[in-house]
Amino acid sequence: MTIRSTARALLLSACAGLALTAASQPARAAGSVEVVHWWTSGGEAAALNVLKKKMEGQGVAWKDAAIAGGGGAQARTVLQARIASGNPPTAMQMLGYVIQDWANEGALANLNEVAKRDGWDKVVPVPLQRFDKHDGVWVAAPAGIHSTNWVWVNKALFDKVGGAVPNSFPEFLALAQKFKEAGVIPLAHGGQPWQEMTVFDGAVVSAGGPEFYKKAFIDLDKAALTSDTMKAAFDQLRKLRGLVDPNFSGRDWNLATAMVIRGEAGMQIMGDWAKGEFAAAGKEAGKDYVCFRYPGTQGTVTFNSDAFAFFKVGKDQQAGQALMAADVLSPDFQVEFSLLKGSAPARNDVPSDRFDSCGKKAIADIKEADARGSLLGSMAHGHAAPEAVKGAVADVVTGFFNSDMSSADAVKKLAAAIDLTR
Ligand code: BGC
């Protein structure tokens, strides 16, 4: 069923809601909320728990609708089915273009009253507002800003092999070789399409720089998509494929992070939700692990922002919904959540002093990239292009990673697959 027909079913259902009303007094019992999300790893669950506890403290019952599966594809499928049967949750964790899709279908609530009262326009970074607002109406509240072009490294192994932070892809390969010689798996990887896509975000920036990434992945420019530079990005991916262990297929991302934490693997290329796993395991940045940007991408940030999108729901859920929206963007939640999640806050006015070195770097990198126009939406996580395009890219990237397809064939397939979606 398409997003359009599912949304029509929603609108025909008894659930067509009213505009969201402003939050009532915190101490007052305010019903319940049901929240769909895919935060099931140790770090993710710990971070979400901050919101759950905050809301329970305000007398709102929390009904958890967790749907496991990193990157959220499974959760998005379940959501479609729920909407089709006229049973929307109060809120769902959502990424980028998907928020706009549901807003286009008229399925999302109007948060403007809360947003105006709490001054969201002034404190939420503009690149996020483009996804969380629809036709001037706030429909989602961002919980944080993640980015995908990161490498996470086991510090003891890094020191043991005399590692230095690589500034280029060849330097990265040299570091990987050192890990290999030391008898550890150079790169921990989970073979799932969204994880391969996550790695590819970095490869595209590394091969061509931010302008190229923008042309290829945001403007979907055919010349860029079929260029030698795009071939070079696939060449990087081919090299990375040679660094992973034979059991990578289907492995969850957090299990790959655990391999780095335990010292079975030297590095993982993954979004900074991996930092949440290190934190959940009691590991400290700079002491137990090292973080750096995907080689050759320093200065660019490929971001994705988890937001809670709020559905039109019946009166019984509206007070809880308004409280939740306000809570998500409250300064204290933004900090507590990101400390556990590995993200940077989605407000530009909260202090960074409690963040560790990797967290501070994330916050500084985002600021710098925003200023120089290189804060770019992640293709892997729904912030560069609509879902259909993302799916087409994922098929080619995963097909490439899991076969001996040449880079020349991959770029042809990539352009053709994107063409079919338009
Ligand atoms: C989300 C993160 C999440 C990751 C792995 C990403 O799409 O933005 O919040 O931790 O998937 O599940």
Side-chain angles (χ1 to χ4, degrees):
M1 186 171 273
T2 63
I3 201 168
R4 188 168 293 279
S5 52
T6 54
R8 202 167 294 128
L10 164 75
L11 294 175
L12 291 174
S13 79
C15 298
L18 303 167
L20 204 63
T21 50
S24 50
Q25 290 310 303
R28 222 177 87 196
S32 64
V33 291
E34 191 201 4
V35 183
V36 176
H37 62 89
W38 64 91
W39 284 333
T40 55
S41 77
E44 292 173 332
L48 184 63
N49 202 38
V50 177
L51 184 59
K52 179 177 176 228
K53 287 274 162 304
K54 189 171 169 77
M55 298 209 61
E56 286 174 348
Q58 292 163 317
V60 182
W62 177 277
K63 197 169 162 215
D64 202 70
I67 296 151
Q74 290 87 334
R76 285 186 286 274
T77 304
V78 169
L79 178 76
Q80 293 244 349
R82 287 193 54 162
I83 301 287
S85 60
N87 178 29
T90 316
M92 173 163 163
Q93 173 198 357
M94 236 180 242
L95 297 172
Y97 277 90
V98 177
I99 302 171
Q100 295 295 307
D101 286 345
W102 286 113
N104 276 329
E105 301 302 342
L108 300 184
N110 181 336
L111 308 174
N112 273 1
E113 206 172 324
V114 176
K116 196 161 176 232
R117 186 197 65 199
D118 294 350
W120 292 5
D121 278 323
K122 281 190 276 319
V123 295
V124 175
V126 172
L128 268 51
Q129 295 195 21
R130 176 230 178 290
F131 294 108
D132 299 327
K133 282 167 97 168
H134 181 260
D135 285 344
V137 173
W138 283 92
V139 293
I145 309 174
H146 276 302
S147 51
T148 56
N149 55 325
W150 283 110
V151 184
W152 306 93
V153 188
N154 179 299
K155 173 86 159 58
L157 292 174
F158 191 64
D159 291 345
K160 187 173 157 201
V161 302
V165 173
N167 289 313
S168 66
F169 194 69
E171 283 181 22
F172 177 83
L173 292 178
L175 174 61
Q177 181 61 27
K178 287 187 176 184
F179 284 128
K180 207 170 179 181
E181 281 159 14
V184 294
I185 299 161
L187 192 64
H189 178 67
Q192 295 170 344
W194 75 269
Q195 295 192 59
E196 274 124 33
M197 285 273 278
T198 300
V199 172
F200 199 57
D201 276 355
V204 173
V205 176
S206 176
E211 279 309 313
F212 174 76
Y213 180 96
K214 185 175 173 293
K215 252 197 179 148
F217 270 2
I218 296 175
D219 305 341
L220 304 176
D221 176 87
K222 198 158 183 175
L225 287 167
T226 54
S227 64
D228 284 349
T229 310
M230 190 53 97
K231 258 190 244 163
F234 278 104
D235 288 346
Q236 287 198 6
L237 202 57
R238 180 59 72 223
K239 290 264 165 48
L240 295 174
R241 170 68 181 82
L243 303 176
V244 312
D245 69 306
N247 301 320
F248 75 97
S249 193
R251 176 188 287 141
D252 287 330
W253 69 272
N254 52 318
L255 300 184
T257 313
M259 289 167 67
V260 178
I261 292 174
R262 288 196 301 261
E264 292 163 24
M267 318 182 268
Q268 181 187 21
I269 299 171
M270 188 43 62
D272 42 16
W273 42 92
K275 185 163 119 60
E277 293 309 293
F278 284 99
K283 303 296 178 193
E284 283 175 38
K287 179 169 161 270
D288 304 305
Y289 67 97
V290 174
C291 62
F292 49 80
R293 291 289 173 187
Y294 184 109
T297 72
Q298 183 61 49
T300 298
V301 171
T302 45
F303 81 95
N304 64 303
S305 165
D306 288 298
F308 286 103
F310 292 86
F311 285 86
K312 288 177 176 168
V313 288
K315 272 215 157 107
D316 57 323
Q317 287 182 59
Q318 287 174 11
Q321 198 173 51
L323 265 179
M324 180 171 163
D327 282 353
V328 168
L329 264 164
S330 62
D332 66 318
F333 171 76
Q334 287 280 323
V335 172
E336 297 301 333
F337 174 83
S338 274
L339 286 172
L340 297 170
K341 186 68 173 66
S343 46
R347 291 181 66 116
N348 51 27
D349 65 341
V350 291
S352 62
D353 51 311
R354 288 178 59 208
F355 286 79
D356 59 28
S357 53
C358 294
K360 285 199 171 85
K361 175 168 169 55
I363 294 168
D365 283 356
I366 288 168
K367 205 172 159 201
E368 183 202 326
D370 193 18
R372 46 191 279 189
S374 54
L375 179 62
L376 302 170
S378 156
M379 172 59 87
H381 295 268
H383 285 67
E387 283 297 279
V389 173
K390 178 182 122 181
V393 177
D395 286 349
V396 177
V397 168
T398 287
F400 176 85
F401 199 82
N402 290 286
S403 72
D404 58 3
M405 190 191 298
S406 70
S407 298
D409 281 350
V411 298
K412 273 188 224 137
K413 281 192 205 303
L414 187 68
I418 291 176
D419 257 357
L420 283 177
T421 67
R422 314 186 82 209

